[in-house]
Amino acid sequence: MLARFRIGDLNCTAVSDVEQGARNVLLIEAPGRRILIDTGAGSAHPGTPGLLVERLKAAGIEPWSIDSVILSHADFDHIGGAIEAGRPTFARAEHFILRAEVEFWRERPERLRPSPNYDEAFRNLVNSLPPTAIDALSDVLQAVEPGTEVAPGIALIAAPGHTPGNAVVRIVAGGDELLVAADLLYDPANIKDPDWVAIYDHDAVQVVKTRRAILRQASANQTLLMLYHLPFPGLGRVADDGAGWSWTPEALPPA
Ligand SMILES: [Zn+2]
């Protein structure tokens, strides 16, 4: 599943990494440069293997033709597709991630604690894939500070809470703006409740602060957002209705 749209003069393609549910990856084609934001789950998740590479190839885009990969954070469903058989999938690409995210995972944190809500195999995947992938990417991974521009108008902005080094990617081109907000919100039912947090949010206090700040700004400026786990392609705008926010999906012209 692909959806094409433009931000200024940038050709953007949203690619679904899954058949069911949502993992919305973004490909940006800037002049002479292909940039991918997040990489799906790859082959790591046996239940819902990542379809990103297959779908890019079907669209005529080979993995070696990707110049840059930006990782919003290192949870398995965002970084898993960056590694295949222990090697970088996008072999020629420089990979960018916030330094705080690399430092968080280097400590091998227990991201998910034991719980009757999921089995041990899933918990192991969530906890062990990210540091393993970060190690496997070490030759091509740049741990950068917030504000770093990967290309003109494309910058990683700190959005801590979901994970300590979570980033929102701001894309500004020709008067248009898109905030790729990844996992800032991941359940459409909860957008209206600004204090909602879930087990996947590492810091429940910080995540609410970050979410409020970004959503307040996005709603005031009517900024286009792209969210990773909202129904494909995950594009829409938020409006502040006083107590919370409402989400209006952005209708795209047929590709
Ligand atoms: Zn996610």
Side-chain angles (χ1 to χ4, degrees), residues 77-78 183 228-229:
D77 54 323
H78 298 255
D183 284 10
Y228 198 71
H229 296 292

Side-chain angles (χ1 to χ4, degrees), residues 104 142 162 198 230 232:
F104 169 64
Q142 290 203 32
H162 179 65
L230 262 64
F232 183 80

Side-chain angles (χ1 to χ4, degrees), residues 160-230:
H162 179 65
T163 58
N166 190 50
V168 161
V169 183
R170 175 180 286 140
I171 300 160
V172 179
D176 289 346
E177 182 176 357
L178 171 67
L179 279 184
V180 180
D183 284 10
L184 185 73
L185 291 157
Y186 38 88
D187 186 334
N190 294 102
I191 288 180
K192 63 181 179 300
D193 178 3
D195 290 327
W196 170 77
V197 291
I199 191 162
Y200 299 105
D201 293 319
H202 177 73
D203 183 333
V205 174
Q206 183 60 55
V207 81
V208 169
K209 273 192 208 163
T210 297
R211 195 175 283 153
R212 281 178 181 275
I214 292 174
L215 292 185
R216 202 177 294 126
Q217 199 187 344
S219 109
N221 300 336
Q222 274 301 288
T223 310
L224 184 62
L225 295 174
M226 183 169 174
L227 295 169
Y228 198 71
H229 296 292
L230 262 64

Side-chain angles (χ1 to χ4, degrees), residues 123-190:
R123 197 173 77 86
N124 277 335
L125 173 72
V126 169
N127 289 344
S128 68
L129 185 142
T132 307
I134 286 170
D135 284 350
L137 289 171
S138 60
D139 288 348
V140 293
L141 187 66
Q142 290 203 32
V144 299
E145 302 305 327
T148 299
E149 279 202 335
V150 166
I154 303 178
L156 283 85
I157 309 297
H162 179 65
T163 58
N166 190 50
V168 161
V169 183
R170 175 180 286 140
I171 300 160
V172 179
D176 289 346
E177 182 176 357
L178 171 67
L179 279 184
V180 180
D183 284 10
L184 185 73
L185 291 157
Y186 38 88
D187 186 334
N190 294 102

